[in-house]
Amino acid sequence: MSKIIIIEDDIYLREELVNTFVKKGYSVSSIPSFDAPEKEILNSAPDLAVLDINLPGKSGFELCKWLKARASFPILILTARDTLSDELYALGLGADDFLTKPCHPDRLIARAERLLQTYGKVRNLVQAGDLILDIDTYKVIWKNAHVVLSDTEGKILQVLLERYPAIVSKQDLSLVLWGGDEYVDENILQVNMTRLRKSLDVIGLRDIIQTVRGQGYRLEVREP
Amino acid sequence: MSKIIIIEDDIYLREELVNTFVKKGYSVSSIPSFDAPEKEILNSAPDLAVLDINLPGKSGFELCKWLKARASFPILILTARDTLSDELYALGLGADDFLTKPCHPDRLIARAERLLQTYGKVRNLVQAGDLILDIDTYKVIWKNAHVVLSDTEGKILQVLLERYPAIVSKQDLSLVLWGGDEYVDENILQVNMTRLRKSLDVIGLRDIIQTVRGQGYRLEVREP
DNA sequence: GCGATTCCTTACACCAACTGTAAGTGTTAT
DNA sequence: ATAACACTTACAGTTGGTGTAAGGAATCGC
């Protein structure tokens, strides 16, 4: 069953929300502390996040924007702030739905399930900013264009996307691509990097892969 | 720019909605008569449909269900019926969002744009019921499983999906697959049909392609 | 029931795309 | 200027996809 994470600081409401979804059979988690919510959320790898706006530390808006630039699960905003401008702002940041408290549990469930269903169709997507990669087929989507990569090229891009925006060392890439034990010539990685760059160039993604001399490679995606 | 279709029988409200979207630069159409709305909607091949519930003839609910089983664009329900049960019913039918009249134009636009964005990510999907095909990569998604088809197999399934639920003749399939002019042995079609069936069987889609003796093939998809 | 038609399946060989190897060229830092 | 690092191109082996061919199974009409 799908995995849902609740990001809500009011402990009573949090428990209530957890219960609502647990009753429906979902696997639900929530975060107890708000020191580094981003990490906890990404680590739990949810299928859906239910996000409050008024949080200690980083606001829900900031969190939403941050997550949307990196993760590929839907985000449902649930907040007591019921102004139109809040809603417009949230949707503009990429939030997938916006509900105001108090919210009938049935409505929340229905909206959440709608999102899970929609995103279920496009499972196995990795994204960073506007760039999307289907890891089953290695189809890359950007703006209005797309291209299907070969196996090796796709795997490289996948690793870069998963660790975005960090630098990935050549060694790490070789490890993932050709298994760990033996020494692998790094030339083959460079060859495939050239091929990948050429493929991405076709849809206008020139210079998206940066070389960091002596350290490795990293993606440079312009934020939405 | 994206194409939006408005299905609304009140002529004044319809014009207002059209204007709202036109001002934003969208290509907007609406249907003047409600004799055969399904056909008109499908023919216009929109990127988004804005749908009223209370319509002459078929209700918006029925229309939503019918479209969702066949088309792959999002549907936004916009109605004066503001009960929770209406909303739950609409979402259950597969509607992508549910707004109540009167609705602030900015909210409508924001919600519509969110749907366009979400579905834009998964462009080039053909679907019938629960079955989805990505026509760029020929990835088939059904329930929780997926499989990537080869080129020929994918094209066959695409044709069957596009004409679903009609029967497609062997000749038509040959025409689409191997071009029109010359005579083509139908054996190669049968060979590929076997291969396609075997591929689909892997994800549990046994017997989804029916043979209609003397006429051709058709899909048999159980409705959601 | 029996032949004829239609449809299905398997085996095989050709071809194109992907991949890694090798060698040479370009770039950057000291 | 030189060494280290990074990039590019050409080539050949392998693999997966495709069509051909031939024979087997199911269905229809009599």
Side-chain angles (χ1 to χ4, degrees):
Chain A
M1 201 54 178
S2 298
K3 200 168 167 186
I4 298 174
I5 188 163
I6 312 283
I7 302 106
E8 163 67 60
D9 63 325
D10 180 307
I11 189 167
Y12 297 106
L13 182 51
R14 184 163 74 217
E15 285 309 308
E16 198 181 312
L17 290 172
V18 169
N19 276 333
T20 301
F21 284 107
V22 165
K23 267 186 217 153
K24 280 282 175 178
Y26 291 100
S27 162
V28 188
S29 61
S30 59
I31 58 176
S33 123
F34 286 84
D35 295 336
E38 305 95 329
K39 274 202 153 183
E40 293 202 56
I41 296 168
L42 280 189
N43 283 340
S44 82
D47 299 302
L48 166 70
V50 177
L51 185 59
D52 189 17
I53 293 296
N54 292 311
L55 297 171
K58 228 172 193 174
S59 84
F61 287 134
E62 290 174 273
L63 216 45
C64 177
K65 185 179 174 184
W66 193 92
L67 288 168
K68 270 294 165 184
R70 287 161 183 80
S72 59
F73 50 81
I75 296 177
L76 189 158
I77 302 267
L78 180 62
T79 177
R81 298 167 61 156
D82 64 349
T83 67
L84 178 57
S85 64
D86 277 333
E87 177 171 344
L88 296 181
Y89 186 56
L91 293 173
L93 289 178
D96 294 89
D97 209 338
F98 183 96
L99 295 175
T100 52
K101 303 172 191 170
C103 176
H104 194 291
D106 289 345
R107 168 174 284 136
L108 177 60
I109 292 280
R111 292 279 181 167
E113 288 183 339
R114 179 92 274 286
L115 292 180
L116 287 169
Q117 198 185 328
T118 301
Y119 274 73
K121 290 177 186 173
V122 293
R123 239 169 305 118
N124 301 342
L125 299 187
V126 187
Q127 86 181 79
D130 275 353
L131 182 68
I132 298 159
L133 175 71
D134 183 326
I135 60 175
D136 296 324
T137 59
Y138 297 126
K139 176 168 81 161
V140 181
I141 307 174
W142 188 70
K143 307 279 182 187
N144 286 314
H146 64 87
V147 65
V148 180
L149 303 175
S150 73
D151 229 52
T152 314
E153 296 171 29
K155 275 179 195 154
I156 294 175
L157 185 59
Q158 180 184 352
V159 176
L160 292 176
L161 274 168
E162 283 170 346
R163 309 225 190 149
Y164 173 81
I167 299 171
V168 184
S169 72
K170 291 191 172 191
Q171 197 182 339
D172 281 10
L173 278 166
S174 286
L175 266 154
V176 175
L177 282 161
W178 296 283
D181 310 332
E182 304 169 24
Y183 171 75
V184 182
D185 182 18
E186 68 167 353
N187 178 247
I188 180 56
L189 178 60
Q190 291 173 353
V191 170
N192 281 295
M193 203 57 89
T194 298
R195 286 171 179 158
L196 174 57
R197 279 172 166 151
K198 196 177 293 180
S199 298
L200 293 175
D201 193 22
V202 171
I203 56 169
L205 283 170
R206 190 186 297 272
D207 299 333
I208 197 182
I209 300 177
Q210 293 184 339
T211 303
V212 185
R213 195 180 171 84
Q215 297 188 64
Y217 300 92
R218 68 176 293 277
L219 284 187
E220 164 75 19
V221 183
R222 278 173 291 285
E223 297 287 323
Chain B
M1 201 56 178
S2 299
K3 200 168 168 185
I4 299 175
I5 189 164
I6 313 284
I7 301 107
E8 164 65 59
D9 62 325
D10 180 307
I11 188 166
Y12 297 106
L13 182 51
R14 185 163 75 215
E15 285 309 307
E16 198 182 314
L17 290 172
V18 169
N19 276 334
T20 302
F21 284 108
V22 165
K23 267 187 218 152
K24 280 281 175 179
Y26 291 100
S27 163
V28 188
S29 61
S30 60
I31 59 176
S33 122
F34 286 84
D35 295 337
E38 305 96 328
K39 275 202 152 183
E40 294 202 56
I41 297 168
L42 281 190
N43 283 340
S44 82
D47 300 301
L48 166 69
V50 177
L51 185 60
D52 188 19
I53 293 297
N54 291 310
L55 296 172
K58 229 171 191 175
S59 84
F61 287 134
E62 290 174 272
L63 217 44
C64 176
K65 185 178 175 186
W66 193 92
L67 288 168
K68 272 293 167 187
R70 286 160 185 83
S72 58
F73 51 81
I75 295 178
L76 189 159
I77 302 266
L78 179 62
T79 177
R81 298 167 61 156
D82 64 348
T83 66
L84 178 56
S85 63
D86 277 332
E87 178 171 345
L88 297 182
Y89 186 55
L91 293 173
L93 289 178
D96 294 90
D97 208 339
F98 183 96
L99 296 174
T100 52
K101 304 172 191 171
C103 175
H104 194 291
D106 289 346
R107 169 173 284 135
L108 177 60
I109 293 280
R111 293 279 181 164
E113 287 183 339
R114 183 189 69 76
L115 291 180
L116 287 170
Q117 198 186 327
T118 302
Y119 275 73
K121 290 176 185 171
V122 291
R123 241 169 305 117
N124 301 342
L125 298 187
V126 187
Q127 87 181 80
D130 275 353
L131 181 68
I132 298 159
L133 175 72
D134 182 326
I135 60 175
D136 295 324
T137 59
Y138 298 126
K139 176 167 81 160
V140 182
I141 307 174
W142 189 70
K143 307 278 183 189
N144 287 316
H146 65 86
V147 66
V148 180
L149 303 176
S150 74
D151 229 51
T152 314
E153 296 171 29
K155 276 178 196 155
I156 294 176
L157 185 58
Q158 181 183 350
V159 176
L160 292 176
L161 274 168
E162 284 170 346
R163 309 224 189 150
Y164 173 80
I167 298 171
V168 184
S169 72
K170 291 191 171 189
Q171 196 183 341
D172 281 10
L173 280 166
S174 287
L175 266 154
V176 175
L177 283 161
W178 295 283
D181 310 332
E182 304 168 24
Y183 170 76
V184 183
D185 183 18
E186 69 168 354
N187 178 246
I188 180 57
L189 178 60
Q190 291 173 354
V191 170
N192 282 295
M193 202 58 89
T194 298
R195 286 169 179 158
L196 173 57
R197 279 171 166 153
K198 198 178 290 179
S199 298
L200 293 175
D201 192 23
V202 171
I203 55 169
L205 282 170
R206 190 186 298 272
D207 298 332
I208 196 181
I209 299 179
Q210 294 184 340
T211 303
V212 184
R213 193 181 173 84
Q215 297 189 63
Y217 301 93
R218 68 176 294 276
L219 284 186
E220 163 77 21
V221 184
R222 279 172 291 283
E223 298 286 324

